[in-house]
Every structure is written in C-alpha cells, then in structure tokens.
C-alpha cells in the first residue's frame, strides 16, 4: 500500500488505523482499508446531520446489540457486514465495517482470461441474476448450482427476516447491496448504515432501480412531505426480496416484459415499474410476457417463460411468487414476508433431486410431484425407484399425527437432521452445534433404498412393529410408516415409492 497510515480513536475509545488511499467510492461514501484488511473505514462525503449521527449511534449501539448479543447472535456475523464503530477525520464522519469474507470475491473472474478484469473484485449479485451475464461473461466455476442458489436465497431471506423482527428496514435491498457466493450458497447484506426505523429514522434513498416497490415509484414525483408519497419500509423490503429471489432462481426480472405503456422511455419506465407494474407470468394477463424472439440468444432459454416458468421453483415458492407479483404489486399488505420466504425455501431445499445428467448446468431440480420426474433444465428424466417421504407430526393426543405439508426427497447420501425428526427443532440461527449434526442418511444398495440410523434412539418401523437401533438400517418400502422421534412434535415418515424406469 502506498498511502500513509492514519491512526484515530473511535467514538467508543478503541484505536482505528487505515491507509490514506481511497480504495473504492460509492454513491455516498469513500472506502479506506485497514492495514491488515480486517476492516474498512467508510467516510461520508457530505456532512452528516444530527438525525444521521443519531442513526449511526443506534446502528453501532443498540441495534447491533439487539441482534448480535442475543441467543444465536454469532450466527449473524456471516450474514451482515454490520458497522461497529464511528470515527471522525478531517471534519468527516465515518464508520468501520468488517472486511468481506474471502468467498465474496471472484476467484476465477470472467471468461477469456478475465476480459472484464473482475478477478479479486467483490461478487455483486448482478453478475448472477442475469442470464446474459452468466452465459456470456462468467467463468463456469463461479456459477454454482441451482441448489446453491436456493441456499443463497435462504440465507438472504433469513437475514432480512431478522432485520424486520427488530423493526428495521434496509430500505435499499438490491443486488448492489447484497453480496452473494453462488458456489458456497452464501449471502451477505451490506450498506446497513441506512437502516430505516418508522417514525424515527427516515430513508436516505428510495432504493435501486429494478427493486423499488411500485408504490414508491408511482409516488416519486410527489413532494417528500406529501402524505401520499410512499417511502421505503419493511413492506418495500418485501417487494425487493421477492424480486431478488426470483432473479437468483430464474435469471430474469419479474416485471420487465414486452409491454410498452408510453412512447416516452422515462414515462414508460415509471409506469412499468410503478402504477402499471405487471408480472411477466401473470396467469390472467399475458400482455407483458417476455418475447423470446426479442431478446439476445444468451438470455435464452431463461427469458422464455414457457420453457422456464416460475412454477419450476416448486409448490412452496410458486404461490409466494404469484402473490408477490400479482396482488402484492398493488397491495403491499399481502406481500409474502421474509419469514414466509425462509420457510418456503427450507421446504424447497428438501424437495431437491440431483439431475442424473452430468452435463446438466443446474445439477439439481425440484421434484414436481409427478410419477415421472424430469429435470426442467436439461429435460433428463429420472430413472429408477424414487422414495418420497411425507412428514407428519405427533399431536398432544397419543397416536394422533397431522400432516406438515412438508416432503423430503431421497437420494444417495441425503442426510436426515433433527429438524426432520422433531417439529420442536427449527434449522435457524438458534440451532446448537449438536442439533446441527445429522441423525441419519439414505443410501441405495442392491437396488434397494435404506435409511441408516446414526443418532435416533426412537427410530421405529411402525408397520413391522420393530425398533431400528442406532447403527442399524431399515429398508424403505411403499406405504411404509417410520417413526423418527417420540413425544409431541415427533415426526412420522410416510414413504411413497415413485417408479420411473
């Protein structure tokens, strides 16, 4: 590093060092690196007013404490780049923020010898949410699989859910302010210093184009103090979250179709993203379908909603997309919450099936509940006998079980976890290391599917009326019932065998 090292004392009394060399510049701040690159210092270019200082004090103080100093708080360190100190230098206010984890930087970069010079740069989501960018520019080793994209979306939904639980809105969720790692299935929310608290801290920005909620776009020309002017909030975050998940799974924008509302491009943009926003896959109005003949070849087949419909995301995500981009466009109150997306993504992960075609780009797909499952990405049908496990939970009445609307697909080395065995355990930030260990796994041997018991003392074959001790296995058969755990909330598996020869 060529610049000299600046040494300061943060407002909390701790020492801060950074190299006097601007390493990056955003819309509002300049970025400087600590000498050891363990954190960055971001200085605001413009003067920060009293409300802004109060907001920053709250973000590095009580907001941070309420999230990170609670049960499971350490979990959030991998999902947020949260500001932790306030500094002043040369009359400017700044904050320190932890440096991004290594997997949020491009390892291989772009095609053709990194022609875009992105190797070593941070992974902005725009590279992975566009079919054109993925096909034309990125090294295939950077793309991940459809399964890792699902996990990436799950991490994002979980992080947004926690913000909203604390009464906070990000206000500018977009692929610029969410770093992603499609290879490892990770996501990290950045630019947290603009958090919105209704009635206390108003938004600094209205958002990023493509992710601004329709009501915000439609009222943007009104004066800021007008009661009809809509500003970023938890509800607008929910719109942006739905757009992000849709784009990370389907590589197209849910509102950008063929329909032209006005010959003036600025006015057309306002209408198509605002008051006349229309889902490109709206089942009742096909006027905004994407025209496959009007897009670049590199955008196909993803731009063809007939070839890649949103329904391929499965029975849990599809209804949320439909609600978010039909009724939810006009009525923010009915938009799916981050918690709903999190739950749907967890269940969708359990429906994943590996594609048997080694050349399949996406590698995984969601079981479509058919007797002849087929990969929607490459068209390869599943061959063999496929176990589908329907989950039921025990009620407080002995011997009574109720359906969970939750299925688990089986494939070789598929793991079974405690949250599958018991409804009282959830796979979220509160789970302990012991609870996170798998309790069993599935294996195909001699054309028979087996469940191997690793850590389930109550495993019981209800049909055969036989216990399956830890270390033993049980063969999966059609219409079989297997008890995973005793007591209220304990799960029962009902086995369906789908034949696809």
């Amino acid at each position: 590093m060529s610049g000299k090292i600046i040494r300061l004392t943060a407002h909390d009394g701790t020492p801060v060092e950074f190299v006097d060399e601007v390493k990056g510049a955003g819309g509002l701040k300049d970025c400087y690196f600590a000498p050891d690159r363990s954190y960055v210092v971001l200085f605001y270019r413009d003067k920060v007013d009293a409300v802004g200082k109060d907001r920053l004090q709250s973000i590095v103080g009580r907001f941070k404490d309420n999230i990170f100093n609670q049960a499971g708080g350490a979990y959030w360190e991998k999902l947020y780049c949260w500001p932790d100190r306030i500094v002043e230098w040369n009359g400017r206010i700044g904050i320190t923020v932890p440096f991004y984890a290594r997997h949020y930087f491009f390892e291989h970069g772009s095609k053709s010898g990194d022609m875009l010079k992105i190797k070593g740069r941070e992974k902005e989501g725009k590279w992975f949410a566009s079919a054109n960018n993925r096909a034309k520019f990125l090294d295939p080793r950077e793309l991940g699989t459809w399964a890792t994209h699902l996990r990436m979306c799950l991490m994002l939904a979980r992080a947004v859910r926690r913000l909203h639980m604390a009464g906070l809105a990000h206000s500018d969720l977009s692929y610029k302010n969410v770093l992603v790692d499609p290879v490892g299935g990770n996501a990290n929310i950045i630019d947290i210093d603009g958090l919105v608290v209704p009635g206390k801290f108003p938004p600094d920005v209205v958002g990023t184009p493509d992710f601004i909620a329709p009501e915000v776009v439609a009222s943007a020309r009104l004066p800021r103090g007008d009661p009809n002017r809509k500003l970023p909030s938890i509800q607008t975050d929910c719109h942006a979250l739905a757009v992000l998940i849709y784009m990370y799974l389907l590589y197209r924008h849910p509102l950008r179709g063929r329909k032209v509302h006005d010959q003036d491009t600025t006015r057309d943009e306002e209408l198509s993203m605002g008051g006349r926003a229309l889902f490109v896959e709206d089942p009742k109005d096909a006027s905004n379908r994407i025209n496959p003949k009007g897009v670049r070849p590199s955008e196909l087949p993803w731009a063809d909603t007939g070839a890649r419909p949103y329904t391929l995301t499965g029975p849990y995500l599809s209804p949320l997309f439909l609600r978010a981009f039909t009724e939810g466009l006009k009525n923010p109150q009915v938009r799916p919450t981050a918690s709903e997306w999190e739950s749907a993504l967890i269940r969708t992960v359990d429906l994943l099936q590996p594609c048997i075609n080694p050349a399949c780009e996406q590698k995984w797909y969601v079981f479509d509940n058919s007797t002849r499952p087929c990969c929607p990405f490459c068209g390869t049908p599943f061959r063999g006998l496929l176990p589908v496990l329907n989950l039921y939970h025990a009620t407080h009445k002995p011997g009574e079980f109720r359906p969970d609307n939750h299925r688990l697909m089986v494939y070789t080395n598929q793991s079974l976890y405690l949250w599958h065995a018991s409804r009282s355990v959830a796979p979220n930030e509160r789970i302990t290391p012991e609870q996170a260990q798998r309790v069993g796994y599935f294996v195909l041997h001699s054309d028979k599917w087996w469940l191997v018991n690793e850590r389930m003392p109550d495993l019981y074959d209800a049909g055969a009326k036989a216990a399956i001790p830890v270390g033993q296995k049980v063969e999966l058969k059609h219409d079989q019932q297997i008890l995973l755990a005793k007591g209220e909330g304990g799960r029962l598996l009902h086995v369906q065998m789908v034949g696809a020869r």
Side-chain angles (χ1 to χ4, degrees):
M1 294 185 180
S2 57
K4 68 176 182 179
I5 294 178
I6 304 296
R7 293 177 173 85
L8 303 174
T9 299
H11 283 195
D12 64 359
T14 59
V16 172
E17 296 184 346
F18 64 92
V19 178
D20 187 8
E21 179 183 356
V22 176
K23 302 298 289 187
L28 301 173
K29 302 181 289 287
D30 293 323
C31 177
Y32 299 80
F33 287 179
D36 63 356
R37 292 200 172 200
S38 61
Y39 60 89
V40 299
V41 185
L42 304 170
F43 284 102
Y44 294 89
R45 293 193 205 94
D46 296 332
K47 184 178 177 61
V48 178
D49 62 17
V51 173
K53 290 179 181 179
D54 190 14
R55 187 205 309 263
L56 291 178
Q57 289 284 5
S58 297
I59 288 171
V60 303
R62 59 190 180 92
F63 294 166
K64 183 174 184 289
D65 289 342
N66 287 343
I67 289 178
F68 291 90
N69 293 335
Q70 304 294 324
Y75 181 88
W76 303 111
E77 293 176 4
K78 62 183 179 181
L79 295 185
Y80 304 118
C81 269
W82 199 285
D84 47 19
R85 291 176 291 180
I86 299 174
V87 295
E88 292 188 52
W89 178 56
N90 287 347
R92 299 169 71 188
I93 294 289
I95 52 177
T96 63
V97 182
F99 208 77
Y100 306 144
R102 185 174 179 179
H103 50 250
Y104 291 116
F105 295 91
F106 281 106
E107 181 180 357
H108 305 288
S110 54
K111 291 181 177 178
S112 303
D114 194 23
M115 61 180 177
L116 296 179
K117 308 299 181 187
I118 59 174
K119 185 175 181 179
R121 289 172 52 187
E122 62 265 27
K123 297 179 181 178
E124 272 193 22
K126 67 178 181 180
W127 294 110
F128 307 100
S130 155
N132 179 65
N133 286 347
R134 292 171 60 86
K136 289 185 67 175
F137 302 126
L138 292 187
D139 187 303
R141 292 171 292 181
E142 301 280 10
L143 297 178
T145 67
W146 210 69
T148 58
H149 272 246
L150 267 178
R151 185 180 184 277
M152 191 170 79
C153 292
L154 172 57
M155 295 299 105
L156 173 58
R158 183 167 291 158
V160 174
R161 182 260 294 168
R162 185 64 185 89
L163 285 180
H164 291 178
M165 280 179 60
L168 306 171
H170 185 278
S171 80
D172 192 15
L173 285 175
S174 71
Y175 45 45
K176 279 190 156 303
N177 294 329
V178 177
L179 295 179
V180 293
D181 165 33
V183 176
N186 300 297
N188 190 290
I189 297 180
I190 63 175
D191 276 6
I192 288 174
D193 52 303
L195 288 176
V196 170
V197 179
K200 185 170 177 62
F201 298 128
D204 287 331
V205 295
V206 296
T208 300
D210 275 346
F211 303 94
I212 305 173
E215 66 273 18
V216 175
V217 175
S219 64
R221 291 180 179 268
L222 297 175
R224 195 171 180 88
D226 191 310
N228 293 314
R229 172 87 181 265
K230 304 300 182 184
L231 296 173
S233 64
I234 286 176
Q235 290 176 344
T236 65
D237 273 2
C238 290
H239 173 77
L241 176 62
V243 174
L244 279 167
I245 294 173
Y246 185 91
M247 294 186 76
Y248 285 141
L249 296 181
L250 296 164
Y251 314 141
R252 59 177 180 256
H253 194 280
L255 305 180
R256 293 197 179 279
R258 73 174 76 185
K259 192 162 189 173
V260 176
H261 300 276
D262 198 292
Q263 293 304 312
D264 180 270
T265 55
T266 300
R267 181 62 179 153
D268 183 61
E269 175 74 6
E270 290 178 1
L271 293 172
S272 61
M273 294 291 112
R276 297 184 192 172
L278 180 64
F279 186 28
V280 296
E281 298 185 77
D282 192 302
K284 296 180 181 179
D285 187 344
S287 62
N288 198 33
R289 293 285 189 272
I290 301 170
N291 179 7
K293 295 181 180 179
V295 301
R296 291 168 289 196
S298 55
E299 294 180 59
L300 295 172
W302 296 98
D304 184 349
T305 56
R308 295 282 193 274
Y310 75 97
T311 51
L312 66 78
T313 61
Y316 304 120
L317 292 174
S318 292
L320 298 189
F321 283 132
L322 190 61
R323 175 150 54 101
F325 301 131
T326 54
E327 190 180 357
L329 292 179
K330 301 288 190 291
N331 184 0
Q333 301 284 348
V334 304
R335 287 173 187 155
T337 64
S339 181
E340 287 181 276
W341 285 112
E342 180 184 8
S343 177
L345 285 158
I346 288 170
R347 295 183 181 206
T348 301
V349 167
D350 281 344
L351 279 185
L352 284 177
Q353 187 66 208
C355 181
I356 63 173
N357 174 14
C360 179
E361 182 187 73
Q362 299 300 318
K363 307 299 182 190
W364 297 82
Y365 61 95
V366 175
F367 175 67
D368 63 358
N369 203 27
S370 72
T371 55
R372 294 187 176 278
C374 177
C375 175
F377 304 117
C378 69
T380 304
F382 177 86
R383 292 192 300 272
L385 204 57
L386 183 64
V388 182
L389 310 179
N390 297 282
L391 275 59
Y392 294 76
H393 70 273
T395 69
H396 65 281
K397 295 181 181 179
E400 181 182 77
F401 291 86
R402 290 182 180 171
D404 278 316
N405 188 29
H406 191 163
R407 284 179 150 184
L408 181 66
M409 300 304 300
V410 171
Y411 49 84
T412 294
N413 292 325
Q414 160 75 308
S415 296
L416 196 67
Y417 291 97
L418 195 56
W419 58 83
H420 296 125
S422 175
R423 202 178 187 215
S424 64
V425 178
N428 57 28
E429 71 275 10
R430 295 179 182 273
I431 200 163
T432 67
E434 183 179 359
Q435 290 173 331
Q437 296 179 39
R438 75 178 188 182
V439 296
Y441 65 95
F442 301 93
V443 64
L444 180 64
H445 180 70
S446 299
D447 289 328
K448 294 180 180 180
W449 285 101
W450 301 86
L451 167 58
V452 180
N453 184 7
E454 290 182 301
R455 299 174 70 242
M456 292 178 285
D458 299 330
L459 194 64
Y460 183 78
D461 186 337
K465 293 182 169 53
I468 301 99
V470 172
Q472 298 299 309
K473 64 183 186 297
V474 58
E475 183 185 351
L476 302 182
K477 299 177 182 178
H478 184 69
D479 212 28
Q480 182 182 20
Q481 294 183 357
I482 300 174
L483 183 67
L484 301 180
K486 292 179 180 178
E488 187 173 350
R491 287 261 174 63
L492 180 79
L493 297 182
H494 178 238
V495 182
Q496 285 181 272
M497 302 301 288
V498 177
R501 299 290 179 183

